[in-house]
Amino acid sequence: GQQVMQIPQYQHVQEGEDFTTYCNSSTTLSNIQWYKQRPGGHPVFLIQLVKSGEVKKQKRLTFQFGEAKKNSSLHITATQTTDVGTYFCAGRSGTASKLTFGTGTRLQVTL
Amino acid sequence: KAGVTQTPRYLIKTRGQQVTLSCSPISGHRSVSWYQQTPGQGLQFLFEYFSETQRNKGNFPGRFSGRQFSNSRSEMNVSTLELGDSALYLCASSGTGNNEQFFGPGTRLTVL
């Protein structure tokens, strides 16, 4: 079945440093979504990417969908303590509505 | 608009018992998906219901089942509970199932 891996599993940064998490799928994706889960909370939708090579920005967050539509990345510029949480990518293959979540990257930010 | 609600929020059961969890989606949403979240396995897809029909199913044993009612509310049932079923069970709703998912706060199930 489809597998979606993320690296790294965990990253600890100082506030102000940049952060990137990478997402790789075993199959070609029709679209990819990103979610953030704060400690003790539930996943919250951030963005969806659909087109090959697509890049979208949300303030300090930059999302990219690979040309082959099998990988994606999330880059945070100048992290803040409010960025703490686990970031998940989630992808769909073909016309299937089932969303397969990645393994997640836990981000810790300290002052 | 009210968000996704799940009841109960916390549950303690013993091995062998069964449990039913409930999820009320956002008004107007017809798709409800269920996920199991554990520290070791991450977010694992259980099943998705759309207009009272199971549209997708994950790789879980038959002890895990669900249903959706005509008002889109959904329930999931786990029979013959095992220790490994201890987890956070998350429900998510979306309009058609092919766009963003809105998660509820989850039900924390502990099996003793």
Side-chain angles (χ1 to χ4, degrees), chain A residues 8 10-21 60 74-85 87 105-111:
Chain A
Y10 171 76
Q11 184 144 16
H12 182 183
V13 300
Q14 299 282 331
E15 190 178 48
E17 292 181 336
D18 291 356
F19 159 77
T20 304
T21 171
R60 295 177 295 104
L74 158 59
H75 179 82
I76 302 178
T77 304
T79 55
Q80 299 175 357
T81 54
T82 53
D83 295 325
V84 165
Y87 292 83
T105 295
R106 186 160 71 93
L107 173 63
Q108 180 64 35
V109 181
T110 51
L111 294 171

Side-chain angles (χ1 to χ4, degrees), chain B residues 18-25 30-34 46-57 62-78 91-92:
Chain B
Q18 76 162 17
V19 67
T20 299
L21 312 181
S22 180
C23 171
S24 291
R30 296 164 65 188
S31 168
V32 174
S33 296
W34 288 89
L46 281 155
F47 25 66
E48 181 206 2
Y49 286 88
F50 183 83
S51 294
E52 301 180 69
T53 300
Q54 187 180 85
R55 189 156 71 169
N56 288 292
K57 189 176 189 309
R63 299 186 297 108
F64 291 82
S65 63
R67 59 178 175 168
Q68 187 179 33
F69 302 96
S70 58
N71 62 358
S72 292
R73 190 177 70 85
S74 178
E75 289 182 346
M76 69 162 279
N77 184 77
V78 188
C91 154

Side-chain angles (χ1 to χ4, degrees), chain B residues 3-20:
Chain B
V4 178
T5 57
Q6 291 187 246
T7 56
R9 293 292 311 279
Y10 302 91
L11 206 48
I12 299 176
K13 292 285 188 178
T14 56
R15 278 181 301 174
Q17 287 187 309
Q18 76 162 17
V19 67
T20 299

Side-chain angles (χ1 to χ4, degrees), chain A residues 33 35 37 42-43 45 92 97, chain B residues 37 48 56 97-98 101 104:
Chain A
Q33 298 178 350
Y35 291 78
Q37 185 174 22
H42 57 272
F45 174 82
R92 290 191 173 93
S97 60
Chain B
Q37 187 172 35
E48 181 206 2
N56 288 292
N98 288 324
Q101 297 201 343

Side-chain angles (χ1 to χ4, degrees), chain A residues 6-30:
Chain A
Q6 282 182 253
I7 55 170
Q9 281 189 322
Y10 171 76
Q11 184 144 16
H12 182 183
V13 300
Q14 299 282 331
E15 190 178 48
E17 292 181 336
D18 291 356
F19 159 77
T20 304
T21 171
Y22 299 91
C23 173
N24 292 288
S25 170
S26 59
T27 60
T28 302
L29 302 171
S30 54

